[in-house]
Amino acid sequence: MIGNEFQQEILEKLSELGKVYIVGGAVRDAQLGIPAKDVDAVMALPLQKIEKKLLEWGYKPHLIGAHQQTVSIFQGEDRVDIADFSGDVEANALSRDFTMNAIYQDVRTGEVIDPLHGLQDLREGRLKACGSASDRFKEDPLRIMRLIRLAVSYDLSIEPETWQAAIDQVPDLREVAAERVTVELGRILILDKIDEALGLLDDLGYLQISIPELARLKGLVQNRYHTKDAWEHTRHVVKNTVPRISLRLAALFHDLGKWETASRECYVWGTIRLTDQGYEIDGFKLKGKNIERWVNKEAEVHGGRLDNYPDTIVVKRIKPAKATQKKHIEMVTDGKRHFLMHERESARLVKEILPRFRWSMVLPGGSLGERELEYVVGHHMLGTLTFMSELKGDIDQTKFRNKTRQFAWEIGWNGQVFDKQRIENVLDLWRADYLGGKQDVAANIERLDEIQRAIRNACAFLAERASLLDWTHFEKFARGKGLEGERFGRFKEQVRRQVMMDNKYRLTDPQFLEREYAVYWKPSSVTSTAKRNPRTK
């Protein structure tokens, strides 16, 4: 009989009250030789009576479900769900989602009943809706998502009528509770054949209606270092990650900002002005750093003109304009393709997309998991940017050790604890990204792995050092200097970074603390004397 001892015991007891049929995934998987974890059953008895009997027998049943209510019993990770039905197996089968899930087994006799020929569909590798596919999807549009998951999980081809009905009715998924969609999409994202699943979601039109920021990456030409467009690259990056939901989501979203930041290399000349809309030059908006010091000056700006916002230029460099310059803008022939600061834009878009779902339900840490997702996406380029020279083979061992420690600390320290998992997430996404269609990946993958090993070693060093720090002497020193509240916290973080970077520094060394204190209160052009001396108020 299907199920474990706990599940079988409940079903056998219920079968004393009337016919009980196991149905759905448990029967399907039994036919494939796959052990069942959860067991679904139906019987011609009102749920209230089923619940009452289970209570009398000493179980703790729960009435669960808004769309399809069941009586559910749990024991550890094991579960049994019982739904009521009219007693007509064929009629019940026509209300189920797919024929492979409409195979029944009588609990008492073990007889298998297959009114819609689901076994034949299963043997022939076909996924087909029960009865009218359109009606089944109208009853519950979430079945469209389940269609994708089952097709990929069981390597099935989707019957044409079922597929067309799914395409026609995919917009109805907007009406499904975000919680239900999130759980089903989460299951899809951790499939082994995730690349195939993403392809089906795209073909279905799901991405266009739910995450258009992903859909618009299709056909987006990247720079000369890439062999794939932005969407194909994204699919490969997701495929290269381990099936962990936080990492798969980060991979899926990591390059969302490329559409926003796609640009072509150009030069523009003129006077830089500060307007109510921001910095401008000759009618073009400017985005970037350190523009303010060029206000009201004649300048030559080297940057990228955005493909999708052609009135905007992202700045790479600014220098004084030559007096003889007559042009206003010049696109560089065969110029570089840029996606400047796309990781920041990706993180911003993630923040916009998250409220459409309920990822806090499935991500480790709940809502904190959502913030971690934003962080990893926003920092996925940091490794490449930090170790650009090392990836080319230029490694100075002394500087390299310091860089790896600084990198590990910058990523791992979250303001409260040293988070090794965050570092792993960033490293894993960095490697998956690197393997996602870069031109020089074969030549440089060993260097990347060497860099990542060094970062992991630095991570181990920092984690051990953090666990050994005793702040007693520091706190006495800081209190003696009159540091409290925010000032105390800022000074502590300054000292913490120093002692974490180099074990020659000791929290018990008064000379070290005095030097750091002097640095902390070092005069600057924007710091008042009163602020520099906390005792003068």
Side-chain angles (χ1 to χ4, degrees), residues 420-456:
K420 292 192 289 185
Q421 186 57 58
R422 175 189 276 183
I423 296 174
E424 283 300 320
N425 288 341
V426 170
L427 294 182
D428 288 346
L429 180 55
W430 178 16
R431 193 175 195 278
D433 191 16
Y434 204 76
L435 292 170
K438 295 286 181 66
Q439 291 276 14
D440 57 355
V441 63
N444 293 333
I445 189 61
E446 290 185 7
R447 291 174 185 162
L448 175 65
D449 288 342
E450 180 184 353
I451 292 167
Q452 291 206 348
R453 279 194 297 271
I455 293 170
R456 288 187 170 94

Side-chain angles (χ1 to χ4, degrees), residues 90-127:
E90 185 168 352
N92 185 261
L94 285 170
S95 71
R96 301 188 71 80
D97 53 8
F98 307 107
T99 60
M100 64 187 287
N101 290 335
I103 308 168
Y104 297 72
Q105 185 175 69
D106 190 314
V107 169
R108 277 287 183 184
T109 67
E111 178 189 6
V112 173
I113 305 170
D114 185 15
L116 302 181
H117 310 294
L119 286 173
Q120 182 179 346
D121 287 337
L122 198 55
R123 283 193 297 267
E124 296 177 0
R126 181 170 52 245
L127 185 55

Side-chain angles (χ1 to χ4, degrees), residues 519-533:
V519 170
Y520 180 68
W521 293 113
K522 186 177 181 179
S524 68
S525 59
V526 297
T527 307
S528 67
T529 303
K531 185 176 181 180
R532 293 197 302 270
N533 187 349

Side-chain angles (χ1 to χ4, degrees), residues 249-361:
L249 273 175
L252 188 65
F253 293 154
H254 82 288
D255 271 355
L256 289 176
K258 281 192 170 178
W259 189 91
E260 295 278 341
T261 59
S263 67
R264 298 285 182 180
E265 190 176 16
C266 71
Y267 289 90
V268 63
W269 294 269
T271 303
I272 294 179
R273 307 286 188 192
L274 178 60
T275 72
D276 292 340
Q277 287 72 44
Y279 297 104
E280 293 185 358
I281 183 171
D282 194 35
F284 291 98
K285 299 175 185 177
L286 296 179
K287 292 177 65 175
K289 298 178 180 179
N290 304 318
I291 303 175
E292 62 277 359
R293 65 191 185 93
W294 292 93
V295 172
N296 297 325
K297 295 180 181 178
E298 291 289 319
E300 174 184 286
V301 175
H302 180 201
R305 187 179 187 181
L306 296 182
D307 292 4
N308 300 300
Y309 305 97
D311 64 340
T312 301
I313 293 171
V314 181
V315 175
K316 285 193 70 178
R317 290 184 297 276
I318 304 178
K319 66 179 184 181
K322 295 179 181 178
T324 57
Q325 184 63 50
K326 296 182 179 179
K327 297 180 180 178
H328 294 289
I329 185 170
E330 180 180 297
M331 301 303 298
V332 178
T333 304
D334 297 325
K336 292 180 181 178
R337 184 81 161 131
H338 288 306
F339 300 92
L340 300 171
M341 297 183 289
H342 74 270
E343 62 275 22
R344 295 185 187 179
E345 198 63 23
S346 295
R348 182 188 68 79
L349 290 170
V350 168
K351 198 167 186 176
E352 287 186 3
I353 291 169
L354 284 174
R356 301 174 202 166
F357 300 89
R358 297 293 181 271
W359 290 113
S360 59
M361 295 172 55

